[in-house]
Amino acid sequence: MDPIIPDLADAIESLVDTPILLVALDFDGTLAPLVDRPEDARPLPAASEALAELASLENTVTALISGRDLASLRAVAEPPERTLLVGSHGTERWAPTAFDAQDEHIDLSAGQTTALATATGILETISAANPGTTLEYKPASIVLHVRQASPDIATAALHAARQELDGIEHLQALDGKAVLEASVLEGTKGEGLNWLREVADASTVVFVGDDVTDEDAFAVLRPGDIGVKIGSGKTLAQFRLNGPGELPALMQSILNMRSL
């Protein structure tokens, strides 16, 4: 069964005349299926191939926007050379030299460094006490993963983490799918998508994402843009696909329209 419903097909058809199209994708749960260990994630081959073909087109710009830090995103995604990258929920930004853009990197203050160390100690203690939970260390955050834990342990671990992290200066807690991330950087994927739109000088944006943090990006889409939610859950996106396995069909449809 074709995952592209008629209304979505009509929206994609309208992309044929847009002067500059930006196609921005989340990575985990969107371009790549969710996995137990973040370092094991890889994009689906068909989606990766379609991304590379889109990146090669004139007047079509591709981007990945992720909660991962840029080093991790590059390692698992192996993005096309011309693809713009936004990591760490919008706070890390990189563009190829062909774009007139200033990159943004992580540079923590003393207060942020202290807050990250405090959060790391808290989550290490919680993870050690809750079997099946794991930690992911990033330059500006630490992430508690509970996907492999039993439901009751996962719930208890996340509750304890939220309680103990609450009130720490310079720290924000971000909820995701079976994760809680303690970050010392303030940023959203919405801010990251706005930066991508400006850098690409895009007239129309397609954004595809699956997680709670992707809603910030859906929220900044404009009339004529296309937002596609992967999976279940409440969303601001106009359209929905059932899972990452349906993304290649969407990307191929866009590719066909932009290749006319």
Side-chain angles (χ1 to χ4, degrees):
M1 183 176 179
D2 188 351
I4 309 303
I5 63 171
D7 285 351
L8 178 53
D10 289 344
I12 293 171
E13 187 173 346
S14 70
L15 300 177
V16 68
D17 293 324
T18 194
I20 299 178
L21 174 67
L22 169 65
V23 180
L25 308 172
D26 174 46
F27 182 74
D28 294 285
T30 300
L31 191 64
L34 293 172
V35 294
D36 290 336
R37 301 196 318 157
E39 62 270 28
D40 292 338
R42 293 295 183 274
L44 292 172
S48 184
E49 291 170 11
L51 180 65
E53 291 188 61
L54 281 169
S56 70
L57 295 179
E58 291 187 5
N59 302 319
T60 300
V61 179
T62 55
L64 297 181
I65 178 167
S66 174
R68 290 176 180 262
D69 62 274
L70 289 188
S72 172
L73 182 60
R74 286 191 177 100
V76 295
E78 297 184 356
E81 186 176 317
R82 294 174 56 187
T83 295
L84 287 79
L85 302 177
V86 172
S88 299
H89 302 286
T91 55
E92 282 188 288
R93 303 168 185 180
W94 176 87
T97 54
F99 294 89
D100 183 18
Q102 182 175 352
D103 300 344
E104 296 190 23
H105 305 283
I106 293 174
D107 186 17
L108 301 185
S109 67
Q112 290 171 321
T113 300
T114 299
L116 180 58
T118 300
T120 298
I122 289 171
L123 293 188
E124 285 178 341
T125 299
I126 290 172
S127 182
N130 290 275
T133 65
T134 58
L135 297 175
E136 178 186 2
Y137 296 86
K138 301 183 183 181
S141 65
I142 180 167
V143 188
L144 176 67
H145 290 262
V146 300
R147 192 176 308 280
Q148 299 179 73
S150 64
D152 56 334
I153 289 178
T155 299
L158 292 174
H159 178 72
R162 291 189 195 97
Q163 280 197 317
E164 296 196 35
L165 294 172
D166 185 45
I168 297 176
E169 191 176 6
H170 303 295
L171 192 77
Q172 61 173 341
L174 304 171
D175 286 300
K177 288 185 176 178
V179 302
L180 186 141
E181 181 166 356
S183 175
V184 296
L185 297 179
E186 292 188 10
T188 69
K189 289 185 178 179
E191 294 167 351
L193 189 59
N194 283 337
W195 178 81
L196 289 169
R197 185 195 297 272
E198 181 179 353
V199 169
D201 194 24
S203 46
T204 306
V205 173
V206 175
F207 175 69
V208 189
D210 76 303
D211 210 342
V212 177
T213 55
D214 294 315
E215 293 302 314
D216 292 321
F218 291 131
V220 301
L221 293 177
R222 303 173 185 175
D225 293 340
I226 298 175
V228 182
K229 164 83 170 181
I230 300 289
S232 61
K234 186 177 179 181
T235 185
L236 296 172
Q238 312 105 299
F239 304 105
R240 191 186 302 270
L241 297 176
N242 291 321
E246 295 185 351
L247 180 64
L250 172 67
M251 296 176 70
Q252 189 62 51
S253 295
I254 298 172
L255 181 61
N256 292 343
M257 195 57 57
R258 294 299 285 177
S259 301
L260 292 177

